[in-house]
Amino acid sequence: MGRGGIPRLIAAVTETLVAERERWVLWLPVAFGAGIAVYFALPAEPPLWLGAAAIMAAAACAGLGRRRTALLVVLLGIATGAAGFTVAQWRTAAVAEPMLSKRL
């Protein structure tokens, strides 16, 4: 990016987000589903606390950045994605059955 490219990019993203304010809620299911997709795309089972920690971290950062619209929207989207991740993780743990160690 050229000189001043990052600030201009941030300004453009912020302007677009503000203009699309009425449609923000439509992105919540997308973020939630993306969190679920991330969980099922992982090659190994993550620790059970990871999803809840991600929700809390994103929500805390959103609270701290609430004066900046673009940052708030992005962090709330991340928190929603983390919620989808957590729901998939907890559901997988709830229905888990022991694996057979050898062929019967």
Side-chain angles (χ1 to χ4, degrees), residues 14-103:
T14 302
E15 183 180 319
T16 302
L17 283 172
V18 170
E20 298 291 327
R21 177 172 252 147
E22 307 83 40
R23 296 185 183 127
W24 288 351
V25 72
L26 299 175
W27 285 99
L28 292 177
V30 175
F32 194 83
I36 293 170
V38 166
Y39 171 76
F40 284 112
L42 293 176
E45 188 68 28
L48 196 54
W49 56 265
L50 184 64
I55 292 171
M56 289 187 297
C61 289
L64 293 174
R66 68 182 174 269
R67 295 183 191 265
R68 301 185 75 188
T69 304
L71 181 61
L72 177 65
V73 171
V74 169
L75 289 170
L76 289 177
I78 291 171
T80 304
F85 181 94
T86 303
V87 167
Q89 189 178 28
W90 285 352
R91 178 64 181 157
T92 300
V95 298
E97 293 291 328
M99 300 288 281
L100 295 175
S101 60
K102 61 181 179 176
R103 187 179 173 126

